[in-house]
Amino acid sequence: MPLHYGTSAAEADRAGLELVNPFKAGDAAAEARGAEVYQAFCKVCHGASGSGDGVVPRRGYPPPPSFLAGAPALLRDGRIFHAITYGKGNMPSYAAQVAREDRWKAVLYVRSLQKQAAADAAAAQAAARAAAKKAAPKNAAVKPAEATATEKPVAGKALMKKASEKAR
């Protein structure tokens, strides 16, 4: 079944609106195959986590955008499928190398990378909050600034008392 899309940005947007991934999250076999496809074709540029830090960009080729943040993280499945099929920017088309079903499974795997990154970020934030809470002083009786403020008047009264005694 042929795809009826062109290579323009408008066609990519249209694909994002019209195409729906036939594989759903939680399909373990599809995710496993998607991981294999990603490892074979995508990881060299997009990196193991999808952050765009693969070996090819480290050797000087322009890095791809991260799947984990910004606009690329918000792309619809059909839009990602279109990029794999027709290419985008420096990325060539993989239609000849990767079967249509496998392209959809790779998209499913990218979604699992995004979910894992979000879970890792949430865990890191929770750990940081817990560490900050643990480092905070526990019910200090008197803070140093408060102690200074309360001592000054007392010291002032004592000096005034000594001065008045000398004057007598």
Side-chain angles (χ1 to χ4, degrees):
M1 178 181 201
L3 291 172
H4 300 286
Y5 296 95
T7 59
S8 71
E11 289 292 286
D13 290 340
R14 185 169 72 88
L17 294 172
E18 296 175 356
L19 297 176
V20 177
N21 195 335
F23 302 98
K24 303 297 176 208
D27 181 339
E31 286 184 14
R33 178 61 185 158
E36 291 172 2
V37 171
Y38 185 90
Q39 299 301 318
F41 294 97
C42 311
K43 179 181 172 184
V44 294
C45 289
H46 290 281
S49 69
S51 61
D53 61 349
V55 67
V56 172
R58 283 188 266 145
R59 303 245 185 234
Y61 197 77
S66 171
F67 292 133
L68 309 179
L74 303 175
L75 293 175
R76 293 174 179 251
D77 287 359
R79 180 64 187 79
I80 298 171
F81 178 85
H82 184 277
I84 298 168
T85 303
Y86 294 100
K88 177 167 177 20
N90 291 325
M91 181 178 148
S93 166
Y94 282 90
Q97 295 92 340
V98 182
R100 183 182 295 200
E101 277 193 0
D102 283 347
R103 284 178 259 153
W104 282 118
K105 291 173 183 176
V107 172
L108 190 64
Y109 181 70
V110 166
R111 296 297 185 214
S112 73
L113 291 176
Q114 291 171 334
K115 287 179 186 168
Q116 184 61 51
D120 291 348
Q125 288 176 347
R129 283 192 301 271
K133 188 175 181 180
K134 186 176 180 181
K138 295 186 179 189
N139 297 332
V142 178
K143 294 180 183 175
E146 292 173 339
T148 304
T150 56
E151 289 173 358
K152 283 183 181 176
V154 172
K157 286 181 183 176
L159 289 175
M160 287 174 40
K161 187 176 179 182
K162 283 184 183 179
S164 66
E165 288 176 1
K166 283 185 182 178
R168 289 187 204 173

